[in-house]
Short mmCIF file of all heavy atoms in Angstrom, two decimals:
data_model
loop_
_atom_site.label_atom_id
_atom_site.label_comp_id
_atom_site.label_asym_id
_atom_site.label_seq_id
_atom_site.Cartn_x
_atom_site.Cartn_y
_atom_site.Cartn_z
N GLN B 1768 21.64 52.22 -64.36
CA GLN B 1768 20.30 52.85 -64.80
C GLN B 1768 19.44 53.02 -63.62
O GLN B 1768 18.42 53.69 -63.79
CB GLN B 1768 19.72 51.97 -65.84
CG GLN B 1768 20.59 51.54 -66.97
CD GLN B 1768 21.07 52.75 -67.79
OE1 GLN B 1768 20.36 53.67 -68.10
NE2 GLN B 1768 22.53 52.67 -68.09
N ARG B 1769 19.77 52.41 -62.44
CA ARG B 1769 18.80 52.55 -61.36
C ARG B 1769 18.82 53.93 -60.69
O ARG B 1769 19.86 54.56 -60.61
CB ARG B 1769 19.19 51.50 -60.35
CG ARG B 1769 18.32 51.56 -58.98
CD ARG B 1769 18.89 50.52 -58.00
NE ARG B 1769 18.08 50.47 -56.73
CZ ARG B 1769 18.39 51.25 -55.74
NH1 ARG B 1769 19.36 52.17 -55.80
NH2 ARG B 1769 17.71 51.16 -54.54
N THR B 1770 17.64 54.49 -60.33
CA THR B 1770 17.55 55.66 -59.59
C THR B 1770 16.85 55.29 -58.24
O THR B 1770 16.13 54.33 -58.20
CB THR B 1770 16.69 56.70 -60.31
OG1 THR B 1770 15.29 56.29 -60.25
CG2 THR B 1770 17.02 56.86 -61.82
N PRO B 1771 17.17 56.18 -57.26
CA PRO B 1771 16.53 55.77 -55.97
C PRO B 1771 15.12 55.82 -55.97
O PRO B 1771 14.36 55.33 -55.11
CB PRO B 1771 17.05 56.97 -55.03
CG PRO B 1771 18.32 57.46 -55.67
CD PRO B 1771 18.05 57.24 -57.16
N GLN B 1772 14.43 56.49 -56.91
CA GLN B 1772 12.93 56.58 -56.94
C GLN B 1772 12.28 55.54 -58.02
O GLN B 1772 11.17 55.56 -58.17
CB GLN B 1772 12.45 57.95 -57.38
CG GLN B 1772 12.78 59.03 -56.41
CD GLN B 1772 14.26 59.44 -56.47
OE1 GLN B 1772 14.91 59.39 -57.44
NE2 GLN B 1772 14.81 59.78 -55.32
N GLY B 1773 13.16 54.62 -58.54
CA GLY B 1773 12.65 53.71 -59.56
C GLY B 1773 12.27 54.45 -60.83
O GLY B 1773 12.61 55.57 -61.03
N ARG B 1774 11.51 53.75 -61.71
CA ARG B 1774 11.01 54.50 -62.93
C ARG B 1774 9.65 53.89 -63.17
O ARG B 1774 9.17 52.97 -62.60
CB ARG B 1774 12.00 54.23 -63.99
CG ARG B 1774 12.13 52.70 -64.34
CD ARG B 1774 13.08 52.55 -65.61
NE ARG B 1774 13.33 51.03 -65.80
CZ ARG B 1774 12.62 50.47 -66.77
NH1 ARG B 1774 11.75 51.08 -67.58
NH2 ARG B 1774 12.84 49.15 -66.99
N THR B 1775 9.01 54.39 -64.23
CA THR B 1775 7.77 53.93 -64.72
C THR B 1775 7.85 53.46 -66.07
O THR B 1775 8.56 54.06 -66.92
CB THR B 1775 6.64 54.94 -64.50
OG1 THR B 1775 6.84 56.10 -65.30
CG2 THR B 1775 6.36 55.35 -63.06
N ASP B 1776 7.06 52.42 -66.54
CA ASP B 1776 6.92 52.02 -67.82
C ASP B 1776 5.48 51.75 -68.19
O ASP B 1776 4.84 50.85 -67.73
CB ASP B 1776 7.79 50.73 -67.93
CG ASP B 1776 7.66 50.10 -69.36
OD1 ASP B 1776 7.14 50.80 -70.26
OD2 ASP B 1776 8.06 48.92 -69.59
N GLY B 1777 4.88 52.72 -68.76
CA GLY B 1777 3.41 52.76 -68.94
C GLY B 1777 2.75 52.61 -67.52
O GLY B 1777 2.94 53.52 -66.69
N ASP B 1778 1.93 51.73 -67.28
CA ASP B 1778 1.14 51.61 -66.04
C ASP B 1778 1.96 50.82 -64.96
O ASP B 1778 1.39 50.37 -64.04
CB ASP B 1778 -0.23 50.91 -66.20
CG ASP B 1778 -1.21 52.04 -66.71
OD1 ASP B 1778 -0.95 53.18 -66.50
OD2 ASP B 1778 -2.27 51.62 -67.25
N TRP B 1779 3.21 50.49 -65.27
CA TRP B 1779 3.99 49.70 -64.39
C TRP B 1779 5.01 50.53 -63.61
O TRP B 1779 5.72 51.35 -64.35
CB TRP B 1779 4.77 48.51 -65.07
CG TRP B 1779 3.64 47.46 -65.59
CD1 TRP B 1779 3.05 47.50 -66.82
CD2 TRP B 1779 3.13 46.36 -64.86
NE1 TRP B 1779 2.24 46.44 -66.91
CE2 TRP B 1779 2.16 45.75 -65.68
CE3 TRP B 1779 3.35 45.87 -63.51
CZ2 TRP B 1779 1.55 44.54 -65.28
CZ3 TRP B 1779 2.67 44.74 -63.13
CH2 TRP B 1779 1.67 44.16 -63.96
N LEU B 1780 5.12 50.39 -62.39
CA LEU B 1780 6.22 51.00 -61.58
C LEU B 1780 7.31 49.98 -61.53
O LEU B 1780 7.12 48.83 -61.14
CB LEU B 1780 5.80 51.28 -60.19
CG LEU B 1780 4.40 51.94 -60.05
CD1 LEU B 1780 3.95 52.16 -58.58
CD2 LEU B 1780 4.38 53.35 -60.82
N VAL B 1781 8.64 50.42 -61.90
CA VAL B 1781 9.67 49.46 -62.04
C VAL B 1781 10.69 49.77 -61.01
O VAL B 1781 11.17 50.98 -60.97
CB VAL B 1781 10.16 49.51 -63.45
CG1 VAL B 1781 11.31 48.41 -63.76
CG2 VAL B 1781 8.98 49.38 -64.49
N GLY B 1782 11.20 48.72 -60.37
CA GLY B 1782 12.29 49.03 -59.44
C GLY B 1782 13.32 47.92 -59.54
O GLY B 1782 13.17 46.89 -59.92
N MET B 1783 14.55 48.28 -59.06
CA MET B 1783 15.63 47.20 -58.98
C MET B 1783 16.17 47.02 -57.54
O MET B 1783 16.14 48.04 -56.75
CB MET B 1783 16.94 47.81 -59.75
CG MET B 1783 16.73 47.84 -61.32
SD MET B 1783 18.37 48.11 -61.84
CE MET B 1783 17.94 48.97 -63.46
N GLY B 1784 16.50 45.78 -57.21
CA GLY B 1784 16.93 45.56 -55.84
C GLY B 1784 18.12 44.61 -55.93
O GLY B 1784 18.30 43.92 -56.95
N VAL B 1785 18.81 44.60 -54.85
CA VAL B 1785 20.10 43.73 -54.81
C VAL B 1785 20.15 43.29 -53.39
O VAL B 1785 19.66 43.81 -52.46
CB VAL B 1785 21.26 44.64 -55.13
CG1 VAL B 1785 21.61 45.67 -54.20
CG2 VAL B 1785 22.49 43.72 -55.54
N ALA B 1786 20.81 42.12 -53.24
CA ALA B 1786 21.17 41.68 -51.87
C ALA B 1786 22.43 40.73 -51.97
O ALA B 1786 22.54 40.08 -53.09
CB ALA B 1786 20.00 40.79 -51.39
N SER B 1787 23.05 40.55 -50.93
CA SER B 1787 24.18 39.61 -50.78
C SER B 1787 23.62 38.23 -50.56
O SER B 1787 22.55 38.11 -49.96
CB SER B 1787 25.14 39.95 -49.74
OG SER B 1787 25.75 41.16 -49.96
N ALA B 1788 24.41 37.25 -50.99
CA ALA B 1788 24.12 35.82 -50.59
C ALA B 1788 25.37 35.15 -50.08
O ALA B 1788 26.43 35.38 -50.54
CB ALA B 1788 23.47 35.07 -51.66
N LEU B 1789 25.17 34.34 -49.04
CA LEU B 1789 26.30 33.59 -48.41
C LEU B 1789 25.82 32.26 -47.95
O LEU B 1789 24.70 32.21 -47.42
CB LEU B 1789 26.95 34.40 -47.32
CG LEU B 1789 28.09 34.10 -46.59
CD1 LEU B 1789 28.90 35.21 -46.15
CD2 LEU B 1789 27.89 33.13 -45.40
N PHE B 1790 26.54 31.28 -48.17
CA PHE B 1790 26.20 29.95 -47.70
C PHE B 1790 27.45 29.29 -47.28
O PHE B 1790 28.39 29.17 -48.10
CB PHE B 1790 25.35 29.13 -48.64
CG PHE B 1790 24.75 28.06 -47.91
CD1 PHE B 1790 23.49 28.13 -47.32
CD2 PHE B 1790 25.25 26.69 -47.89
CE1 PHE B 1790 22.79 27.09 -46.71
CE2 PHE B 1790 24.73 25.60 -47.30
CZ PHE B 1790 23.51 25.83 -46.63
N PRO B 1791 27.49 28.59 -46.10
CA PRO B 1791 28.76 28.03 -45.74
C PRO B 1791 29.16 26.86 -46.60
O PRO B 1791 28.25 26.14 -47.10
CB PRO B 1791 28.51 27.60 -44.22
CG PRO B 1791 27.03 27.57 -44.20
CD PRO B 1791 26.52 28.53 -45.14
N ALA B 1792 30.44 26.70 -46.79
CA ALA B 1792 30.95 25.54 -47.64
C ALA B 1792 31.24 24.43 -46.56
O ALA B 1792 32.22 24.60 -45.80
CB ALA B 1792 32.11 25.98 -48.46
N LEU B 1793 30.53 23.38 -46.74
CA LEU B 1793 30.67 22.23 -45.77
C LEU B 1793 31.03 21.08 -46.58
O LEU B 1793 30.99 20.86 -47.78
CB LEU B 1793 29.33 22.07 -45.06
CG LEU B 1793 28.76 23.24 -44.33
CD1 LEU B 1793 27.35 22.92 -43.80
CD2 LEU B 1793 29.63 23.71 -43.20
N ARG B 1794 31.41 19.98 -45.83
CA ARG B 1794 31.71 18.72 -46.38
C ARG B 1794 31.43 17.73 -45.43
O ARG B 1794 31.66 17.86 -44.09
CB ARG B 1794 33.19 18.57 -46.80
CG ARG B 1794 33.69 17.73 -47.82
CD ARG B 1794 34.91 18.26 -48.56
NE ARG B 1794 36.13 18.40 -47.91
CZ ARG B 1794 37.03 17.47 -47.76
NH1 ARG B 1794 36.81 16.29 -48.34
NH2 ARG B 1794 38.15 17.61 -47.08
N PHE B 1795 30.82 16.56 -45.88
CA PHE B 1795 30.53 15.42 -45.11
C PHE B 1795 31.44 14.24 -45.45
O PHE B 1795 31.94 14.21 -46.51
CB PHE B 1795 29.12 14.99 -45.13
CG PHE B 1795 28.14 16.00 -44.50
CD1 PHE B 1795 26.92 16.29 -45.23
CD2 PHE B 1795 28.31 16.56 -43.29
CE1 PHE B 1795 26.15 17.22 -44.64
CE2 PHE B 1795 27.38 17.38 -42.71
CZ PHE B 1795 26.30 17.80 -43.36
N PRO B 1796 31.67 13.30 -44.44
CA PRO B 1796 32.46 12.07 -44.86
C PRO B 1796 31.73 11.46 -46.09
O PRO B 1796 30.43 11.46 -46.10
CB PRO B 1796 32.43 11.34 -43.65
CG PRO B 1796 32.17 12.21 -42.51
CD PRO B 1796 31.30 13.23 -43.11
N ALA B 1797 32.48 10.85 -46.97
CA ALA B 1797 31.79 10.24 -48.06
C ALA B 1797 32.76 9.02 -48.53
O ALA B 1797 33.96 9.15 -48.56
CB ALA B 1797 31.70 11.18 -49.25
N SER B 1798 32.17 7.99 -48.99
CA SER B 1798 32.90 6.92 -49.53
C SER B 1798 32.27 6.58 -50.97
O SER B 1798 31.01 6.73 -51.17
CB SER B 1798 32.75 5.57 -48.71
OG SER B 1798 33.38 5.82 -47.42
N VAL B 1799 33.16 6.26 -51.85
CA VAL B 1799 32.74 6.04 -53.27
C VAL B 1799 33.41 4.79 -53.77
O VAL B 1799 34.62 4.65 -53.48
CB VAL B 1799 33.11 7.20 -54.19
CG1 VAL B 1799 32.88 6.92 -55.67
CG2 VAL B 1799 32.19 8.46 -53.86
#
Side-chain angles (χ1 to χ4, degrees):
Chain B
Q1768 307 300 313
R1769 176 185 179 272
T1770 71
Q1772 294 76 35
R1774 66 185 176 91
T1775 60
D1776 177 13
D1778 278 340
W1779 293 91
L1780 315 176
V1781 186
M1783 289 190 208
V1785 70
S1787 301
L1789 183 150
F1790 195 85
L1793 306 170
R1794 199 147 70 91
F1795 290 133
S1798 295
V1799 170

